[in-house]
């Protein structure tokens, strides 16, 4: 087969009804049938763990500069990426996480109390997960509570537009978020905010080299954190609750021994990754799993499939609460490993601890089922759960 980009044959149709009906099962099938697969809509999709690791460890060949829009630092390559990454990482250091943990716990407890007051039957994604993700992110960034509802509505509109592939609405929503972030930055600039006022103010005082970050760079960082954190944290909460509702034996184990929670959370999210994929662009011709790929080609890292690879994880589709997480790609690997992983891990641990403390049990609602998300999202769009709250 001639694999030049101009006449590459398509190996699959990622938008077919067979794939969209159950994307996790479809990606499992592709990992075994055609682990590096070409399609018209996504370019090259990579499904195996080993091939993903090759990409992550070779940023010179697989560039993260995939868009004309500035993306700090995840849309950058070295040496530019290295300079900006050094600015970002301290915001997720141990001292900041320890200082933010009580606020995170208070938000989780308050939200769960609100939900409990409405009764036991809850649709997790719209009534719990998204609210938690938005409240936590606003608190972390120092944003006002008045933004909670606008951001929740924005998130719902964005998710719907993504499902409908409504590019016009997505462009409008991107402008709306850009305006919100720009106003928050401008407010701090006009008020001569000090670096220790809040995290957003801190970014205004950060320097790259000898100059301060400009407005576009600060805005990019804040947008990436907001869209990324809200989307993945809400998806993660839905996945965790759904799994534990469907596997009461795991729920019992974790209620009895909360020390297992950190590893168990990573393992549950390995089996059903909350992040669908990330893109790269080839800078030169390369061969990946015996498939020649030309320079300038789109390459999609499929996290869902790679983290369910049977050659790396024994009984890969099965959650094993005490599984070694060293090979887990939940937060990526290489130079672009997620800098916000400490924050995400802390948030989910605190949420689950508070959920267990305030409930006796929870399970799926009778005669209802969770509704899986579809590309480019992951997790569930709806998770109907019946909670038995503590009295």
């Amino acid at each position: 087969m001639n694999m030049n980009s101009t006449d590459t044959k398509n190996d699959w149709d990622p938008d077919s009804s067979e794939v969209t009906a159950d994307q996790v099962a479809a990606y499992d099938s592709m990992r075994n049938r055609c682990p590096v697969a070409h399609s018209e809509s996504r370019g090259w999709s990579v499904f195996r763990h080993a091939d993903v690791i090759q990409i992550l460890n070779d940023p010179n060949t697989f560039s993260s500069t995939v868009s004309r829009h500035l993306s700090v630092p995840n849309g950058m390559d070295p040496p530019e990426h290295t300079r900006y990454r050094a600015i970002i990482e301290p915001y997720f250091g141990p001292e900041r996480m320890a200082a933010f943990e009580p606020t995170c716990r208070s938000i989780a407890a308050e939200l769960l109390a609100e939900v409990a007051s409405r009764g036991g039957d809850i649709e997790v994604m719209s009534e719990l997960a998204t609210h938690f993700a938005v409240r936590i992110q606003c608190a972390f960034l120092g944003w006002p509570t008045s933004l909670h509802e606008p951001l929740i509505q924005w998130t719902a509109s964005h998710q719907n537009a993504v499902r409908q592939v409504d590019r016009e609405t997505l462009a409008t929503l991107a402008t709306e978020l850009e305006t919100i972030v720009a106003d928050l930055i401008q407010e701090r600039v006009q008020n001569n905010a000090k670096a220790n006022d809040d995290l957003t103010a801190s970014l205004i005082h950060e320097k790259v080299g000898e100059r301060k970050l400009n407005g576009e760079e600060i805005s990019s960082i804040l947008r990436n954190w907001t869209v990324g954190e809200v989307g993945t944290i809400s998806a993660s909460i839905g996945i965790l609750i759904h799994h534990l509702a469907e596997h009461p034996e795991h729920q019992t184990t974790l209620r009895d021994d909360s020390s297992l929670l950190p590893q168990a959370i990573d393992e549950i999210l390995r089996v059903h990754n909350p992040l669908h994929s990330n893109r790269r662009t080839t800078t030169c011709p390369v061969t990946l799993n015996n498939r020649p790929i030309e320079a300038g080609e789109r390459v999609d890292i499929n996290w869902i499939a790679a983290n369910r690879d049977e050659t790396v994880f024994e009984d890969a589709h099965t959650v094993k609460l005490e599984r070694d997480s060293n090979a887990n790609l939940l937060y990526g690997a290489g130079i672009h490993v997620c800098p916000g992983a400490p924050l995400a891990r802390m948030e989910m641990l605190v949420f689950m601890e508070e959920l267990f403390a305030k409930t006796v049990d929870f399970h799926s609602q009778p005669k209802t089922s969770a509704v899986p998300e579809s590309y480019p999202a992951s997790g569930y769009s709806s998770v109907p759960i019946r909670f038995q709250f503590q009295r």
Side-chain angles (χ1 to χ4, degrees), residues 69 154 158 167-183 219 223:
H69 300 290
W154 185 93
H158 187 264
R167 291 183 174 83
E168 183 177 348
T169 299
L170 287 171
T172 300
L173 290 168
T175 301
E176 287 180 9
L177 184 60
E178 176 74 31
T179 301
I180 290 172
V181 172
D183 288 346
S219 180
R223 288 197 317 272

Side-chain angles (χ1 to χ4, degrees), residues 171-357:
T172 300
L173 290 168
T175 301
E176 287 180 9
L177 184 60
E178 176 74 31
T179 301
I180 290 172
V181 172
D183 288 346
L184 290 162
I185 295 170
Q186 186 62 26
E187 177 188 358
R188 284 158 178 77
V189 171
Q190 290 177 343
N191 293 333
N192 296 313
K194 297 179 176 61
N196 59 0
D197 284 354
D198 58 40
L199 188 150
T200 300
S202 294
L203 286 174
I204 296 170
H205 293 271
E206 289 286 2
K207 289 184 176 181
V208 55
E210 297 300 317
R211 67 165 178 84
K212 285 187 176 181
L213 293 176
N214 61 40
E216 185 183 12
E217 291 163 337
I218 297 167
S219 180
S220 173
I221 292 168
L222 292 172
R223 288 197 317 272
N224 286 343
W225 285 354
T226 302
V227 176
E229 283 292 309
V230 170
T232 53
I233 291 299
S234 58
S236 296
I237 295 299
I239 292 166
L240 292 168
I241 291 177
H242 178 262
H243 175 84
L244 294 174
E246 294 290 306
H247 295 83
E249 72 283 7
H250 287 170
Q251 187 179 155
T252 299
T253 297
L254 295 176
R255 286 182 182 276
D256 291 342
D257 186 359
S258 61
S259 69
L260 295 174
L261 264 173
Q263 201 162 337
I265 290 170
D266 278 9
E267 168 67 358
I268 293 169
L269 297 179
R270 176 195 66 77
V271 173
H272 194 154
N273 203 298
L275 181 63
H276 184 285
S277 58
N278 282 126
R279 287 173 57 190
R280 297 290 191 270
T281 299
T282 52
T283 62
C284 59
V286 63
T287 299
L288 195 62
N289 205 311
N290 299 318
R291 301 297 297 269
I293 302 173
E294 295 298 309
E297 292 283 295
R298 169 179 173 167
V299 178
D300 258 25
I301 298 169
N302 191 297
W303 301 113
I304 295 172
N307 247 351
R308 293 164 60 88
D309 191 331
E310 303 91 337
T311 65
V312 177
F313 305 99
E314 184 182 3
D315 298 328
H317 304 172
T318 302
V319 169
K320 297 185 177 182
L321 298 182
E322 298 185 47
R323 190 193 297 270
D324 186 340
S325 62
N326 282 337
N328 192 335
L329 294 174
L330 176 60
Y331 295 102
I335 65 169
H336 285 283
V337 65
C338 179
L343 176 63
R345 283 192 165 109
M346 185 270 286
E347 289 172 349
M348 288 186 286
L349 175 61
V350 165
F351 180 88
M352 294 308 300
E353 287 174 344
E354 290 300 311
L355 179 63
F356 283 164

Side-chain angles (χ1 to χ4, degrees), residues 15-26:
D15 303 312
S16 69
S17 58
E18 292 82 2
V19 174
T20 57
D22 187 344
Q23 62 179 351
V24 175

